[in-house]
Amino acid sequence: MNTVVPMLEILRLRRGPQDLAADQGVLVFWMGASVFSGILIAAPMYGFAASLFLSALDLVVLYLFVMAVLGLQGRSARWMQTYTAMVGVSALLGLVMAVLLGFFPPDLAEGEVSAPALVVYLGLVVWLLLAFGHILQQALDLAGRMTGVAIALGFVVLSSVVTQLALGLAGV
């Protein structure tokens, strides 16, 4: 619980990455939770192996993104807490998404999502952007959260492009 409560507070935008322990064990815990939630979300569409690969790929892309953004600002020493916070937030929202997919399952055969489900899913993406923006604002000492959100949007676009390329190369 010592790692879950601070992460929930970060998700609620009440604490920042600096409030997490710079601890490899905490990082590994959240990475595992992130992979687990990624598999729960993607396995129905892509199968277990592909969803495991996509979850691991997303962690690598996030790591490289965090290192690049922090490095450009001369704040590389903050990588572990920043990365842990972003992975943890992603894991928690992924678990919420997995539950919501159970309540509002997409029609995989038709590739359609109901309007209420689309609104809920979009709300989760906005929440992810706000939480990532909050984390980046704290880690980079930015004046405004919206600058952090804009940087976070860059990550979401990058991650989406990499994921789609990986899916295309894998023929899934």
Side-chain angles (χ1 to χ4, degrees):
M1 287 310 264
N2 290 342
T3 187
V4 174
V5 172
M7 196 62 71
L8 288 170
E9 290 297 303
I10 291 171
L11 187 59
R12 294 174 60 203
L13 313 180
R14 295 187 177 187
R15 293 173 87 175
Q18 67 277 6
D19 296 315
L20 296 173
D23 179 48
Q24 286 182 341
V26 172
L27 174 57
V28 168
F29 170 81
W30 286 111
M31 289 174 74
S34 180
V35 168
F36 177 74
S37 69
I39 290 170
L40 286 177
I41 293 168
M45 293 177 280
Y46 305 114
F48 178 80
S51 63
L52 176 61
F53 171 73
L54 292 172
S55 295
L57 180 63
D58 195 53
L59 287 174
V60 170
V61 172
L62 180 58
Y63 172 77
L64 295 173
F65 181 83
V66 166
M67 292 304 288
V69 170
L70 291 175
L72 288 172
Q73 293 294 316
R75 295 188 171 28
S76 296
R78 298 179 179 187
W79 81 268
M80 187 176 290
Q81 290 167 301
T82 304
Y83 183 62
T84 301
M86 293 180 83
V87 169
V89 161
S90 179
L92 290 172
L93 288 177
L95 291 173
V96 171
M97 174 64 89
V99 169
L100 290 174
L101 284 169
F103 288 117
F104 302 109
D107 184 348
L108 297 177
E110 296 294 322
E112 294 181 6
V113 178
S114 69
L118 192 58
V119 169
V120 171
Y121 299 153
L122 184 58
L124 278 179
V125 171
V126 169
W127 191 359
L128 177 76
L129 287 171
L130 286 172
F132 274 14
H134 172 73
I135 293 164
L136 291 169
Q137 176 194 15
Q138 303 271 318
L140 298 170
D141 294 323
L142 300 172
R145 184 170 298 151
M146 293 316 290
T147 304
V149 170
I151 296 168
L153 182 59
F155 165 73
V156 170
V157 169
L158 174 67
S159 177
S160 297
V161 168
V162 169
T163 299
Q164 290 305 309
L165 285 172
L167 287 172
L169 292 174
V172 175

